[in-house]
Amino acid sequence: MPASYLPEHAVKAYQDERPSVTRLILEARWAHYRLTDTLEHGPDSNTVPALRRLKLLHAGALIDVLALRTRDPDLYEAARDHGAALREVDGLALDDHPHNGLDHLRAQYARLHHHTHGDAYQAPHATDESLPIKRPFRRPGPRLVRQMLDTYAWAHLGLTPRFPAVDVASEQRRHLMTRGLLLDWAATAAPADNAAAAAAATAGHALRNLDRRAALNDLRARAYLRDAFRDVDDQDEDDAPHPHDCAGRCDGTGEVLTVLTWEHHGDNSYTAVHQEPILCFGAPAAHAPDCATCGGHGFTYTAGYRELCLDGRIADSEPAAATVAPQGA
C-alpha cells in the first residue's frame, strides 16, 4: 500500500491497518466462499454461525472502504446494514444512532487485526461534502460486490461433481469483470492508490486475453472491463428502473432488504440473524403454493435455523400457481 493518504485512513480502524482494496477483496470473497460451501455441503454444521459472522465482517469492511472512497450512498447504506447485522449476531441491542452499525463493524475489524484501542470512529477532518465519484457501471455498488463474491464462490463450487449445471467458465469471466470493475472504481476515486490501478489494469488484460483480444495499454484495458460488463449486464432492468414510490418498497433501487435467516430459540421463537437485498418485483411478493423447494410454505428449515425460500416468489399480480424458476447463484 502506498504511504500516501487515502480516504479510508481517516477512520482509525483502517488508518492503523492500511488495508489494500485487493486484500479486502481477497478476504471478503474467501469468507463468502467458505460460508457458501458449508451451506451447500453441510448446512447443519456448527461452524455456520461463525462463518456468517466472518462474511459480514469482511464483506462489510470491503463495502465500507469502497463507500469511504467513492462517497456512494448505496455503499454507505450497505456498510451500515452489514454493521447492524454484525451487532445482532454478536448479541448487541440496536438503537436509533445512525452510525451504530458502522462503529461496531469498524471496531471489530480493528480487533481482528489486534488494534484493541477501541477507537474505530471517523476522524473529524474526514468529512467530505463533494459529489460522489461517478460509478463506471450502471449497477448499484452493493449489487456489484455481491456479484463479485457469488461468482467467485460458484466458479469454485462448479468444479465439484455436485454442481454439474454450473457454467464455470462464465462464472470465472464474470468474476474477473466484477473484481476488475471494483478495483477500477476504487482507483478512480483515489488516484494515489497506484496498486489498485495496476490490479484493475491486470484484470482488464486478463479479460482481453480470455476473450482472445489483442493487448492494449493499461488505461484501455481498464476501459475494456467497463465495455465488457455492459455487454453482459441486464440492460432491460436498467432501462426500466423502479419508481421511487415503487409498490414493492424498494425506493427505486430494484432491490429490497429482506431477512433471509432466523435462528430458532424454541417454542416457535425465531430471531433474525442474516439479511440481504433481494430482487424487487415492483409489487408485494407472494409465494407459489406449488413451490417445489418449500411446498408453498415460503420457508425451509435446518437444525436451529429457518431460511426464507426464494425459489417460489411471485408478484401478487401474477397467477398464484405459476412457480418462479430458481434464481441463479
Side-chain angles (χ1 to χ4, degrees):
M1 170 64 68
S4 56
Y5 178 86
L6 295 174
E8 63 266 24
H9 296 164
V11 175
K12 190 66 173 172
Y14 306 124
Q15 183 183 80
D16 288 343
E17 186 62 21
R18 291 204 169 197
S20 69
V21 174
T22 300
R23 193 189 84 183
L24 289 167
I25 288 175
L26 289 171
E27 292 171 341
R29 73 181 190 181
W30 180 242
H32 181 79
Y33 166 70
R34 290 181 63 193
L35 175 61
T36 304
D37 179 68
T38 301
L39 289 174
E40 292 295 337
H41 291 92
D44 297 334
S45 171
N46 56 12
T47 64
V48 168
L51 292 176
R52 287 190 193 279
R53 185 183 187 280
L54 198 65
K55 178 197 168 183
L56 284 171
L57 179 58
H58 285 300
L62 169 63
I63 292 171
D64 189 27
V65 167
L66 290 172
L68 288 165
R69 287 201 186 189
T70 65
R71 302 181 295 280
D72 182 77
D74 293 333
L75 288 173
Y76 171 77
E77 291 299 327
R80 194 171 68 175
D81 291 339
H82 275 71
L86 189 64
R87 281 185 61 88
E88 290 187 68
V89 167
D90 289 344
L92 300 176
L94 296 173
D95 58 31
D96 294 331
H97 195 291
H99 298 294
N100 203 29
L102 276 179
D103 287 343
H104 185 67
L105 173 67
R106 293 168 180 175
Q108 293 307 305
Y109 180 87
R111 292 191 181 97
L112 180 68
H113 294 92
H114 309 293
H115 304 306
T116 55
H117 45 69
D119 178 12
Y121 294 89
Q122 187 166 331
H125 63 275
T127 302
D128 193 335
E129 301 297 335
S130 58
L131 293 174
I133 303 298
K134 184 178 179 180
R135 62 172 68 108
F137 43 83
R138 301 177 70 179
R139 277 280 163 257
R143 181 166 180 179
L144 189 73
V145 173
R146 287 198 307 278
Q147 286 182 324
M148 185 271 296
L149 298 177
D150 281 341
T151 51
Y152 178 81
W154 285 103
H156 283 73
L157 288 173
L159 296 174
T160 65
R162 186 168 180 176
F163 302 100
V166 175
D167 185 345
V168 174
S170 176
E171 297 291 338
Q172 290 174 335
R173 185 175 186 274
R174 187 175 285 266
H175 174 69
L176 189 58
M177 276 191 292
T178 52
R179 180 173 62 86
L181 279 175
L182 288 173
L183 288 164
D184 181 55
W185 195 18
T188 302
D193 190 354
N194 297 322
T202 298
H205 291 308
L207 184 62
R208 285 191 66 84
N209 183 60
L210 187 67
D211 293 344
R212 302 183 184 277
R213 300 291 185 90
L216 298 174
N217 62 41
D218 286 356
L219 288 178
R220 292 182 65 188
R222 288 168 61 179
Y224 183 73
L225 289 167
R226 300 188 287 271
D227 293 339
F229 189 70
R230 292 189 192 100
D231 290 341
V232 301
D233 204 12
D234 185 358
Q235 294 298 316
D236 290 340
E237 185 177 329
D238 284 331
D239 293 338
H242 291 219
H244 288 292
D245 58 349
C246 175
R249 298 185 177 181
C250 70
D251 297 324
T253 65
E255 295 178 322
V256 185
L257 188 65
T258 304
V259 175
L260 299 183
T261 307
W262 296 260
E263 185 176 5
H264 189 210
H265 298 283
D267 298 327
N268 205 33
S269 174
Y270 291 88
T271 300
V273 295
H274 181 64
Q275 60 181 356
E276 288 185 16
I278 63 174
L279 184 66
C280 174
F281 288 153
H287 208 83
D290 60 345
C291 175
T293 302
C294 68
H297 298 291
F299 302 97
T300 59
Y301 297 85
T302 58
Y305 291 92
R306 183 177 74 183
E307 303 278 347
L308 183 67
C309 175
L310 300 180
D311 292 349
R313 293 174 63 235
I314 56 173
D316 277 353
S317 59
E318 297 180 19
T323 303
V324 174
Q327 296 182 359

